[in-house]
Amino acid sequence: MNPWEIWFWPWFAHSGGAASEQRAKPADAVDGARFVPEGEWTTRGRVTLELHELRLRDFSRSRTGQAAVLVTPFALHDAILADLAPRHSLVQTLLDHGCKRLFLVEWASASRESRYQTIDSQLAALHVAIDEIGGPVDLIGLCQGGWLSLIYAARFPGKIGRLVLAGAPVDFAASALSGATGATAAFLLEAVKRGGDGVIRGADLLALWAGAADRMAIAMQALQITDPDREAGGQRALRNFLRWHERTLDLPEAYFTQVLTLLYQENRLARGQMTALGRTIAPDMVDCPVALLAGESDMVAPPDQVFAAARLVGGEASRFLLREARSAHLALFMGRDTLATEWPAIARWLLAGRREARKGRAPGTQTIVPQDGPKSGKGSRA
């Protein structure tokens, strides 16, 4: 596996490279942006803003206080990874542990009209969404939504109260997965660009692999359940996962190419050479407290890659909360155990920041850390 394969992380995260349950059929032409069907959401919410690039979904139980915003990845699959099923919903977990004003950024599947969209297009749309909410907000970036959130926090530091990066690749030279990319990337890029008319079609990405996904491997690794036939809600969670697994997003070719070259190949974000909406930014421009969540068996964004963000952002150790879960990649967002253990602690950390702000303290002067304290000089790990 190499880091280019993060575009296909649902397979590599839970089954070591197996493709979807069935071979994908060739995609038909896409005439407009597509979003997740309303019936797929587990938690009741409402769309408060719709742009060509995104929908802003409001799951709030309160209309007052600082908001938290989940930034889902704009990759092969959609935003349901954050709200898959009861006990497998990050949205519900955050709501239940005090994040009562909660929004989610849902990216639109690309169309011919959006084929020229770039990373800047995503940043601009995210900026409009955050302005719609009213800042500062706490930003929670999941997987590739993590590096986008980090770029945003560096570009617009006054907009962000606290930043959470979960399973987020930031420094692509910090892990063993940063090896051979050249020939593989060139071949992959040409294969998926062919015939797409400026759109990288999710169905075409699926068709690059054959075989059947291992049902139990999905259940055990992604959902963290051992027997879906016997465990409460297990069958529903597995069914929802398989529907999500088969449903793909199309991506703008310009955006896809930028991510592969600027981030994965040239590592510009980690090197402080990333241009974001007309400004060169670096991770050390982030001026808020940062929480980092990694999975110890994550093959997509290994712990060393995720925790490298603390070194790149810099500052006092008290500025960071670092947690390492007994988890593979997808389980960071939908695993029953990870949601029950790691995310409540992150929610408490977010709420502590809001209490500090109300008391007029400087951000980051007090953080919630596990009782066993910092390890390896990286802050605190659980």
Side-chain angles (χ1 to χ4, degrees):
M1 179 176 170
N2 67 60
W4 303 91
E5 291 165 349
I6 197 167
W7 292 103
F8 318 106
W9 49 262
W11 295 273
F12 294 101
H14 64 64
S15 61
S20 81
E21 244 191 351
Q22 57 188 15
R23 185 184 295 273
K25 298 178 181 178
D28 294 327
V30 178
D31 296 320
R34 291 182 287 112
F35 293 96
V36 177
E38 286 299 321
E40 295 293 323
W41 294 95
T42 297
T43 307
R44 186 173 64 183
R46 62 191 182 97
V47 175
T48 60
L49 177 69
E50 184 167 334
L51 307 175
H52 197 80
E53 298 86 355
L54 62 78
R55 272 181 176 172
L56 182 65
R57 302 191 71 90
D58 185 357
F59 294 102
S60 300
R61 295 176 180 171
S62 172
R63 297 298 163 195
T64 60
Q66 186 164 305
V69 182
L70 283 162
V71 182
T72 59
F74 187 40
L76 182 58
H77 282 79
D78 60 46
I80 290 296
L81 92 164
D83 193 39
L84 188 78
R87 300 183 67 188
H88 299 275
S89 168
L90 177 54
V91 169
Q92 289 185 347
T93 299
L94 292 172
L95 288 170
D96 290 345
H97 288 86
C99 297
K100 302 298 186 184
R101 193 165 175 235
L102 182 64
F103 296 81
L104 177 144
V105 170
E106 174 193 355
W107 301 106
S109 187
S111 66
R112 289 193 181 94
E113 290 80 0
S114 62
R115 65 187 181 273
Y116 299 119
Q117 287 177 1
T118 62
I119 293 173
D120 269 359
S121 304
Q122 309 306 119
L123 286 169
L126 179 59
H127 192 55
V128 171
I130 289 174
D131 267 357
E132 182 79 6
I133 296 167
V137 303
D138 294 327
L139 211 54
I140 305 171
L142 310 181
C143 187
Q144 293 202 63
W147 58 252
L148 188 73
S149 297
L150 180 63
I151 292 173
Y152 185 89
R155 180 64 178 82
F156 301 104
K159 296 283 189 178
I160 306 304
R162 290 194 164 198
L163 177 66
V164 179
L165 307 178
V170 174
D171 185 355
F172 296 94
S175 79
L177 296 186
S178 61
T181 59
T184 301
F187 173 81
L188 175 62
L189 191 56
E190 288 308 310
V192 297
K193 286 167 69 173
R194 195 175 300 122
D197 194 21
V199 175
I200 304 298
R201 294 174 178 168
D204 292 342
L205 297 181
L206 290 182
L208 293 176
W209 284 271
D214 186 310
R215 180 176 182 268
M216 292 309 297
I218 296 172
M220 293 176 66
Q221 294 185 37
L223 302 176
Q224 294 178 327
I225 55 179
T226 56
D227 189 345
D229 294 322
R230 295 186 178 183
E231 295 186 37
Q235 279 295 331
R236 177 180 175 180
L238 182 59
R239 182 175 64 252
N240 290 0
F241 183 97
L242 291 174
R243 281 204 301 262
W244 169 81
H245 184 271
E246 294 163 5
R247 192 172 56 236
T248 60
L249 293 181
D250 300 326
L251 304 170
E253 183 180 305
Y255 168 83
F256 184 91
T257 304
Q258 275 192 339
V259 173
L260 290 180
T261 55
L262 302 183
L263 292 170
Y264 285 77
Q265 189 173 45
E266 299 175 9
N267 205 24
R268 290 197 186 185
L269 176 57
R271 294 166 60 188
Q273 299 174 353
M274 192 74 188
T275 300
L277 293 173
R279 298 279 180 89
T280 300
I281 62 97
D284 63 6
M285 295 169 69
V286 174
D287 66 357
C288 64
V290 179
L292 303 171
L293 173 63
E296 65 179 15
S297 57
D298 190 340
M299 293 287 290
V300 174
D304 285 348
Q305 189 180 87
V306 175
F307 294 135
R311 167 179 52 81
L312 296 170
V313 171
E316 297 295 326
S318 61
R319 185 181 180 184
F320 298 95
L321 172 67
L322 276 66
R323 298 188 69 94
E324 185 170 334
R326 294 183 177 89
S327 166
H329 187 68
L330 290 181
L332 291 173
F333 322 118
M334 60 179 70
R336 182 177 296 178
D337 296 339
T338 306
L339 291 174
T341 57
E342 303 301 329
W343 284 100
I346 292 172
R348 290 194 298 272
W349 179 82
L350 291 172
L351 296 176
R354 297 170 191 182
R355 289 194 295 270
E356 291 171 8
R358 287 196 297 270
K359 293 177 181 179
R361 296 178 181 174
T365 56
Q366 179 182 357
T367 58
I368 296 176
V369 299
Q371 292 184 354
D372 56 356
K375 296 181 181 179
S376 304
K378 291 183 176 180
S380 57
R381 287 193 185 183

